Amino acid sequence: MALRVDNLTKTYGDTTALSEVSFEVPDGKFAVVLGRSGAGKSTLLRILNGLTEPTSGSVYLDGEAVTNSRSDVGMVFQQHNLVEELSAYDNALTGTLNRTGFVRSLFNRQPVDDRELALEALDTVGLLDESGQKVSSMSGGQQQRVGIARALVQQPALLLADEPVASLDPSSAETVMEYLRETAETRNLTTLASLHQVNIAREYGEQFVGLKEGDVVFDGPREELTAAV
Ligand code: ADP
Ligand code: ADP
């Protein structure tokens, strides 16, 4: 789905985390929000995910206003937030809780297609053979790929990734970015990842939104991305 962010402002007391932020991401594109620590990236993603209320402004998905937390917005976290003692498969399956609501999932048996979705998502991130492995025994990069799989099980219309590679070594970071890009492409899934590393952003992003102290200082394709951000 096409994402439109319109004039978002968020203040925390005297701190302006976002100041009239506007940009659009076309359907199926892999966009990167680039900015240093404190630029407002997390605040933006949390608003897009409905976890934080904006002070003013609006978010639209395919022209429809997003007013609160939506089950079709998937999120990948920096610290992946997985259940370490469960397998990759069981963690992926928890993505269905976000989709169907916790209570419904508790009282309904898992339909077969949820299992298929979980295996398909693990396959997408190259972890089908490791699906039975405990997350605690996996590398940081593999854990983050399970985090992506869990978000995919939610069948999102928009995938958000908040600093998905910030705590990974360079090689694992590249693998995770590669899977994010590939997923956006093969599933035509609009994806917005926040990053602070310009080099990684440049390599994998298709569209860039540069944030600096809550202001959009850049909005354009790779060719126009300069060191200004
Ligand atoms: P609330 O006031 O809604 O209870 P919190 O103060 O608990 O919110 O913070 C919500 C989230 O924002 C937490 O994850 C917290 O770590 C983070 N947070 C709080 N203050 C700051 C800050 N100054 N800078 C960045 N993140 C913060
Ligand atoms: P980034 O993700 O780019 O590091 P953030 O969105 O976390 O940026 O923070 C943007 C600004 O808003 C910072 O000045 C931060 O301290 C402030 N901030 C973020 N969350 C909170 C919060 N819950 N309470 C107070 N200030 C916050």
Side-chain angles (χ1 to χ4, degrees):
M1 285 190 187
L3 168 70
R4 185 156 72 88
V5 172
D6 186 25
N7 244 348
L8 275 189
T9 293
K10 176 68 182 181
T11 57
Y12 297 101
D14 292 339
T15 305
T16 301
L18 295 174
S19 177
E20 297 178 358
V21 166
S22 298
F23 63 91
E24 292 180 33
V25 181
D27 186 27
K29 271 230 173 167
F30 185 15
V32 170
V33 178
L34 194 53
R36 292 171 193 274
S37 177
K41 304 182 298 297
S42 296
T43 301
L44 173 64
L45 265 63
R46 289 171 62 87
I47 290 171
L48 296 182
N49 197 26
L51 294 169
T52 297
E53 282 271 312
T55 305
S56 59
S58 313
V59 176
Y60 302 89
L61 273 176
D62 270 359
E64 190 186 323
V66 176
T67 47
N68 47 29
S69 196
R70 283 175 56 134
S71 59
D72 59 355
V73 178
M75 185 93 160
V76 176
F77 301 89
Q78 179 180 341
Q79 300 299 346
H80 52 71
N81 296 4
L82 300 170
V83 185
E84 301 256 333
E85 290 311 302
L86 291 182
S87 67
Y89 171 81
D90 283 332
N91 270 280
L93 204 57
T94 62
T96 64
L97 298 179
N98 292 332
R99 199 180 73 234
T100 58
F102 185 59
V103 174
R104 232 187 87 190
S105 295
L106 270 184
F107 291 99
N108 287 0
R109 295 182 54 168
Q110 298 287 356
V112 170
D113 62 45
D114 282 349
R115 289 173 205 158
E116 279 169 10
L117 275 177
L119 292 174
E120 200 177 87
L122 287 165
D123 193 24
T124 298
V125 297
L127 289 176
L128 195 52
D129 291 343
E130 287 81 9
S131 61
Q133 215 169 300
K134 249 190 202 179
V135 160
S136 57
S137 71
M138 294 182 137
S139 71
Q142 286 178 319
Q143 293 184 0
Q144 193 54 291
R145 283 149 63 193
V146 176
I148 296 169
R150 177 183 55 189
L152 292 178
V153 166
Q154 216 176 311
Q155 295 188 291
L158 172 68
L159 181 65
L160 304 172
D162 192 5
E163 293 272 9
V165 301
S167 45
L168 299 179
D169 63 86
S171 149
S172 306
E174 300 224 338
T175 309
V176 166
M177 289 304 294
E178 189 64 51
Y179 277 113
L180 278 173
R181 175 170 68 183
E182 205 177 291
T183 303
E185 202 174 294
T186 57
R187 299 196 176 207
N188 193 44
L189 174 58
T190 311
T191 302
L192 188 65
S194 69
L195 294 170
H196 65 269
Q197 309 98 317
V198 184
N199 56 334
I200 297 181
R202 190 190 297 277
E203 195 173 337
Y204 294 96
E206 288 184 281
Q207 183 193 335
F208 302 85
V209 176
L211 277 186
K212 194 171 184 177
E213 292 169 10
D215 289 315
V216 174
V217 292
F218 180 85
D219 183 4
R222 182 185 291 125
E223 305 76 63
E224 292 167 18
L225 187 65
T226 63
V229 180

